[in-house]
Amino acid sequence: MKSGANSDFTHGFLRRLRRLLAVVLGLALVAGASYLLAPQWVLRLDTWRRALAADLTSESVQVGDTRWVYYEGGTGPTIVLVHGFGVSKSVWLEIAPLLTPRFHLVIPDLPGWGESTRLAGADYGITAQADRLAGFVDALKLDNFMLVGHSMGGAVAGVYAAAHPHTLAGLVLMDSFGLSFKENAFAKGVLDRDTDPFVFDDRAGYDRVMALSFHQPPKTPGRFKDALVAQNLANRDFINRVFERLRKPSQYRALDSRLGELTMPVLAIWGAQDRIIDPSAIDTLRQGLVHAPSIDTTLIQNCGHTPELEQPAATARVIADFTLRH
């Protein structure tokens, strides 16, 4: 009897093992097929996974004619994170899990980008977006919060801060657009040519943009590149229209004339190897912030234009320290 019982147990275990292996193999085949046939869905699933891991939920609020979609999560002092040109709220998912244990994060898609409303013919320049951000802040009843803006989002955050200084505990400008800086190859090319450097039609074009944005570009699987190319193509008209707007002096110098109106603590974070907005923009900040009670600056080494992606741990640490001090 004992020998028969052992034999039944062995056969049962092997059956369960075979079933488990079949399930694992099936999942692997589904994953492989999804990567080959529908890489965009794999990217969306990964974005959902990373938001969940960061303790973020997706929320929305209607403000006038705009539906804002945003991530929210974490507990503690509030930090609002504003993304830059050509991306969405998901760009912050690398640093979000490092911040949500101690801070309450609000991470919106700016109107026109990501999942937030895009209106045909509307102005999506810096001042218009700053005005919309004010409506979003009012709708969520945010007060005494830390505002962080990256690149184009830095200009939006800075213009908002100049108009609504009483709402902020502090302002963080990260590789911020809207400031004068020593002309680099990127700036010269943008002014001399009519082409938008952030649009791409194929994998090579994607690699070119990554080489521009990162000090050491991440390795991206080929089919994911294809999905991102398709996304860029689908949004091409809007990307070109906004970029053309941002080429105007009123946009790329939007913060220069407003620096004296910033009366809150200000932190500048820059990638030391930023090829898009030269770190010399920090000098413009230092000279113009005549009424800010404190000015902190951090250059992150081995980092290009996107510290939140290329050096997330260092970036999160600097933001956290600044927020806790103010």
Side-chain angles (χ1 to χ4, degrees), residues 46-255:
D46 184 60
T47 298
W48 175 83
R49 176 195 63 79
R50 291 190 293 142
L52 187 65
D55 192 29
L56 297 172
T57 59
S58 183
E59 310 289 347
S60 66
V61 63
Q62 189 74 28
V63 184
D65 57 7
T66 297
R67 176 177 172 265
W68 289 73
V69 179
Y70 61 99
Y71 288 135
E72 185 171 16
T75 56
T78 297
I79 303 176
V80 176
L81 300 167
V82 182
H83 66 80
F85 180 86
V87 292
S88 69
K89 61 185 181 300
S90 64
V91 77
W92 298 104
L93 289 179
E94 292 299 314
I95 72 169
L98 305 174
L99 295 174
T100 47
R102 289 190 290 171
F103 303 100
H104 167 230
L105 300 186
V106 177
I107 312 176
D109 277 330
L110 284 171
W113 303 97
E115 298 178 274
S116 291
T117 299
R118 178 185 300 174
L119 299 171
D123 179 3
Y124 289 101
I126 300 303
T127 302
Q129 293 286 58
D131 290 342
R132 293 189 183 97
L133 181 61
F136 175 74
V137 168
D138 288 344
L140 268 59
K141 296 180 170 55
L142 301 177
D143 187 46
N144 196 38
F145 61 95
M146 186 65 62
L147 181 58
V148 181
H150 171 245
S151 193
M152 178 189 74
V156 172
V159 171
Y160 168 88
H164 307 276
H166 59 283
T167 64
L168 298 182
L171 174 67
V172 181
L173 300 176
M174 186 186 305
D175 297 78
S176 182
F177 181 72
L179 296 164
S180 297
F181 58 86
K182 182 179 179 181
E183 187 177 84
N184 55 15
F186 171 81
K188 189 175 188 328
V190 167
L191 292 175
D192 289 350
R193 296 191 298 271
D194 291 333
T195 55
D196 182 345
F198 296 107
V199 298
F200 43 89
D201 301 318
D202 50 30
R203 294 183 184 183
Y206 172 85
D207 290 339
R208 172 185 53 77
V209 173
M210 291 301 100
L212 178 65
S213 303
F214 288 81
H215 177 55
Q216 294 182 326
K219 293 181 179 179
T220 305
R223 287 296 289 145
F224 290 165
K225 290 183 185 180
D226 293 340
L228 294 168
V229 168
Q231 187 179 89
N232 191 273
L233 285 167
N235 290 283
R236 180 65 51 87
D237 289 344
F238 180 74
I239 293 171
N240 280 334
R241 180 159 60 88
V242 176
F243 186 78
E244 187 60 30
R245 180 88 172 90
L246 297 182
R247 290 181 60 189
K248 308 296 184 184
S250 63
Q251 303 296 296
Y252 64 75
R253 293 178 183 158
L255 292 186

